[in-house]
Amino acid sequence: MPYDYRPFPYTPPPGLTAPEPRHKVVIVGAGPIGLALAIDLAQYGVPSVVLDDNNVVSVGSRAICWSKRALEVLDRLGVGERCVEKGVIWKVGRTLHREDEVWTFDLQPEPGYKMPAFVNLQQYYVEEYLVARALEFPGLIDLRWKNKVTRLVSGDGVALTVETPDGSYALEADHLVACDGARSDVRGMLGLDFDGELFEERFLIADIEMTGDFPSERRFWFEPPFHAGQSALLHKQPDNIYRIDLQLGWDADPEAERQPERVIPRIEKAVGHKDFRLDWVSVYTFQCRRLARFVHGPVIFCGDSAHVVSPFGARGGNGGLQDVDALGWRLAHVAKGGDAGVLNAYDRERQHGADENLRNSSRTTRFMSPAPGAERWFRDAVLALAGKAAFARPLVNSGRLSVACTYPLTGPDDPALPQAARPGAVAPDAPLAEGWLIDRLGRETVLMAIGQPTPRVPGLVTLGVEPTPEVRTRYLGGATRALYLIRPDQIVAARWQTAAPEAIATAAAAIWEDRT
């Protein structure tokens, strides 16, 4: 059955009849990123007003591939398990050249994590679950549908004019977070634009409903027999919905190519039959671009309003949730009276994350759509060799799948401990005697002790962990004990085999400093 797009109720806001008090945070955009941020702030006890000019979840599946790290963030917000339960779990990707498989990867080759490597789930379900979760914070999250920002003045805070079906009203806030997507109105009101690359390529993206026996894997074809000379991608989603991406070429007419009379014959060739229903169609171009800065005084950009990438690699929605992960605890700190300089660290770290995503996305795009000459020769040589020579297979690039970036932190480090848990990396999950390590971290700075008593450091939450086999592999390596200082976003800030309480306290204080 098609998804039931039920409108959310519009309620006249109080500002229509009387001036509202200045708010701590206004979030523009009630997509996955804006909703996730509002919930994150609410869990810190910080109220927000969420404005959206629509009153329904996103039409079409849009973002569908949610990575392990994104699922961990969603789980901390209270919807992760629901997403996993509804979604299609997968971890294997297969890349084919014509009819031959040339490269296969496993995104989670070892067990022992609460969340799977990837889950395919339509964006409208993720939004639905986040809206339901947001409604569980009635005193902290004020969701306002059909509220469109039409004017913004930025200075000591922000002053907004908001248009509703009943007229316009004024709104003021200490901070505004723009989560209003790639065509951000907020970005336009500030006269800001993206830097980066627009690739001359077009892709058809289609969701179809059909009963099929395709496995729960990512399948990508270069030059498939059903779409000669181009590339194609297939993903399985819940409700018998399949995502198909077909390369069209830069000369394709977007309006003509999204018409059913053009789309349906292409899909028939791809799936080999006519027994399907067209659910959603779009044509898009590749972009790999971002703002020069994500923090502009009291206005902060998050998700696609700050950066856009091509969809191959699942770096859009996942990257946006990592923005939320880096911003929420810092903005809550500022909203409670902390130094606003900590937001500069969000800016710096997420620029780093965006640049990593842009690099990977650009490389994928060039491999998929090589320019004539050296790029084309390289791509064709790699595909020709990959079926015969193992060394060439990792060079096949159909989209390096999203993983959390490692920030270039300079906190204390003992390089004898495993690289996977070095400062700047997400603290790896592991099964404990009871439950999961990932559930014991987050929302506060934690000092985790493994194989030794936990030092007493004022102001720090302490956690003693027994060295289970997974904990030993991921956190100790050849060592017998370790101390890990872990930030509220579950990023390792510092680590030692042993350390004095004074050294730990200094490293903990540095988490809240701006090191520009």
Side-chain angles (χ1 to χ4, degrees), residues 168-190:
S168 62
Y169 67 100
L171 199 64
E172 293 187 353
D174 295 340
H175 287 89
L176 180 147
V177 186
C179 302
D180 53 343
R183 298 174 180 173
S184 169
D185 287 337
V186 173
R187 194 176 63 238
M189 291 175 195
L190 292 184

Side-chain angles (χ1 to χ4, degrees), residues 21-73:
R22 178 162 161 155
H23 296 277
K24 291 286 188 184
V25 179
V26 167
I27 298 169
V28 180
I33 309 310
L35 291 167
L37 179 61
I39 295 167
D40 201 17
L41 291 173
Q43 290 181 326
Y44 284 107
V46 174
S48 65
V49 177
V50 183
L51 307 175
D52 197 282
D53 60 3
N54 208 336
N55 67 338
V56 71
V57 295
S58 63
V59 177
S61 64
R62 298 184 182 270
I64 64 167
C65 299
W66 305 95
S67 69
K68 180 170 73 69
R69 182 57 193 158
L71 293 167
E72 289 173 348
V73 174

Side-chain angles (χ1 to χ4, degrees), residues 76-366:
R76 201 166 73 242
L77 301 177
V79 300
E81 291 186 5
R82 193 174 182 188
C83 290
V84 173
E85 181 179 349
K86 177 65 178 178
V88 173
I89 296 171
W90 66 278
K91 64 173 187 168
V92 173
R94 300 188 187 278
T95 301
L96 299 94
H97 182 212
R98 301 190 177 100
E99 296 181 282
D100 298 325
E101 186 173 305
V102 295
W103 172 241
T104 301
F105 55 83
D106 187 334
L107 294 165
Q108 202 170 76
E110 61 179 16
Y113 299 91
K114 180 180 181 181
M115 289 295 159
F118 265 88
V119 161
N120 283 355
L121 181 65
Q122 296 93 318
Q123 181 173 319
Y124 46 71
Y125 278 120
V126 177
E127 290 185 19
E128 175 190 321
Y129 301 160
L130 287 169
V131 169
R133 177 64 171 149
L135 294 175
E136 296 176 11
F137 299 92
L140 290 169
I141 300 177
D142 184 355
L143 270 173
R144 300 187 185 183
W145 307 105
K146 291 291 190 180
N147 278 240
K148 179 179 176 62
V149 177
T150 57
R151 184 170 180 268
L152 185 158
V153 177
S154 174
D156 176 22
V158 294
L160 307 175
T161 300
V162 184
E163 186 69 32
T164 78
D166 295 318
S168 62
Y169 67 100
L171 199 64
E172 293 187 353
D174 295 340
H175 287 89
L176 180 147
V177 186
C179 302
D180 53 343
R183 298 174 180 173
S184 169
D185 287 337
V186 173
R187 194 176 63 238
M189 291 175 195
L190 292 184
L192 301 173
D193 201 1
F194 284 143
D195 297 324
E197 225 175 332
L198 173 66
F199 290 90
E200 294 185 349
E201 184 57 88
R202 301 192 197 279
F203 264 79
L204 169 73
I205 184 171
D207 285 349
I208 63 171
E209 181 183 4
M210 70 175 182
T211 302
D213 57 357
F214 294 98
S216 299
E217 300 174 345
R218 178 187 193 263
R219 293 205 166 195
F220 190 98
W221 290 265
F222 290 101
E223 301 177 329
F226 56 81
H227 195 53
Q230 304 281 23
S231 60
L233 175 69
L234 176 69
H235 268 294
K236 184 178 182 179
Q237 303 177 67
D239 305 333
N240 291 322
I241 299 291
Y242 287 82
R243 161 71 59 82
I244 297 175
D245 289 50
L246 297 172
Q247 187 178 8
L248 297 176
W250 183 241
D251 295 333
D253 181 341
E255 278 304 316
E257 291 297 345
R258 63 169 59 98
Q259 300 306 312
E261 59 267 25
R262 289 281 190 97
V263 175
I264 290 174
R266 293 187 188 278
I267 302 300
E268 288 175 355
K269 290 180 181 179
V271 300
H273 60 77
K274 300 182 179 182
D275 189 16
F276 60 84
R277 180 187 66 83
L278 202 58
D279 186 69
W280 176 67
V281 176
S282 182
V283 175
Y284 61 88
T285 58
F286 286 160
Q287 294 187 62
C288 293
R289 305 195 295 161
R290 74 167 176 89
L291 286 173
R293 292 183 291 118
F294 299 168
V295 177
H296 293 257
V299 181
I300 305 165
F301 290 87
C302 199
D304 285 353
S305 73
H307 45 73
V308 289
V309 294
S310 76
F312 296 97
R315 296 174 178 275
N318 291 304
L321 285 175
Q322 290 169 45
D323 289 349
V324 171
D325 204 26
L327 177 60
W329 58 283
R330 290 178 164 118
L331 187 54
H333 173 74
V334 175
K336 293 178 179 180
D339 186 351
V342 73
L343 297 176
N344 293 328
Y346 160 77
D347 196 7
R348 184 173 57 254
E349 289 181 358
R350 291 316 299 159
Q351 284 185 44
H352 174 85
D355 285 342
E356 181 176 298
N357 284 334
L358 290 170
R359 281 194 302 273
N360 280 286
S361 191
S362 297
R363 289 167 183 165
T364 295
T365 302
R366 289 194 177 91

